[in-house]
Amino acid sequence: QSMKLAASSILLSFCILEQSVETYAYSTTSSKSSCNEVHVTGASINRKNFLLQSSAAVLTLNTIAIATPLPAEARGRATLEQAYDRYTPRINAGGQFYTKDLKAIIAKNDWAALAAATAEPPKRTKADKAKADGGIAERAAQAGQFSDSRVLFAMDLYAATFSDNSVSAKTKAMKDEVEALRKVVQGMHTSARIALGEEKAVEGGLFGFGGKSPSQAELAQKVRGLYVEGGNAFNQYVYAANDGLPVTLERLPYL
């Protein structure tokens, strides 16, 4: 706004000066110069050159105004909108999967499906290096529908958007819920692998089972408890994310 006012003031000064020159040229009868060219203090001022110089000066001001960096608030708003478009689709898709598919999987004690839903993509192999994209697309497709790589990582990145030079209270609150969800997902995945016989209960006990191999019923009960715990953490994350969100952005849905 200040740059616009400055430009307007200079334009007004140019107009006043031009009118003064024209008046002087009209009233100077003893000078041999025409109305289009007058001599002021030994310098020749030509109307055409004067207007060209005026236009150049205004153009320079406009260029400076355009090159002036945006305020921090505007930059932050642009970054938030980009992060929103990039990460919230994955977060929303994860929430929908959690509410419907994952709930049905746990209700049926479908351990194989639970293990797949919470699985991380395989590590990069030598064969992947020979592929055009390094095997990224293929490995990403193998990530579980509610895995850390597919959902929780996006939630972490979206939470970081609400901080600048230091971690804000909002970012911390959101990341705390992601960590709670991460423990839930890891617990579900481990339980599913134990139920399938692919993993043994670690020494010291899993979920308070004292190191003994838990029964299917015990694992099912524990996973159901984790499901409720994870749902609460997800909703708390959504609450923190929506708090103070610009009205132009749609709120994240609760489970």
Side-chain angles (χ1 to χ4, degrees), residues 208-221:
F209 291 127
K212 67 176 183 178
S213 181
S215 66
Q216 297 279 317
E218 289 174 319
L219 287 170
Q221 181 180 1

Side-chain angles (χ1 to χ4, degrees), residues 29-149:
T29 56
S30 58
S31 174
K32 295 181 180 181
S33 302
S34 65
C35 289
N36 288 328
E37 182 177 357
V38 296
H39 293 273
V40 180
T41 63
S44 178
I45 299 179
N46 183 275
R47 176 184 176 86
K48 181 178 180 181
N49 291 336
F50 178 83
L51 293 176
L52 288 175
Q53 292 174 4
S54 302
S55 300
V58 173
L59 179 60
T60 301
L61 280 175
N62 288 336
T63 303
I64 294 173
I66 293 172
T68 302
L70 291 172
E73 182 179 355
R75 293 198 304 272
R77 174 64 177 275
T79 302
L80 173 58
E81 290 179 349
Q82 292 172 1
Y84 181 93
D85 293 339
R86 184 171 185 176
Y87 301 122
T88 58
R90 288 165 59 182
I91 297 172
N92 290 338
Q96 292 173 0
F97 181 85
Y98 197 96
T99 302
K100 299 177 181 178
D101 301 79
L102 189 60
K103 183 178 181 180
I105 288 171
I106 292 175
K108 295 185 295 184
N109 293 340
D110 189 342
W111 301 115
L114 180 59
T118 54
E120 290 300 300
K123 295 182 179 181
R124 189 181 182 188
T125 63
K126 292 183 178 179
D128 290 328
K129 297 180 181 179
K131 299 175 183 177
D133 64 344
I136 294 177
E138 184 177 344
R139 285 184 291 113
Q142 298 179 55
Q145 294 300 309
F146 203 85
S147 62
D148 196 317
S149 296

Side-chain angles (χ1 to χ4, degrees), residues 222-233:
K222 192 62 185 182
V223 167
R224 283 167 172 76
L226 287 172
Y227 179 83
V228 174
E229 183 181 338
N232 289 333

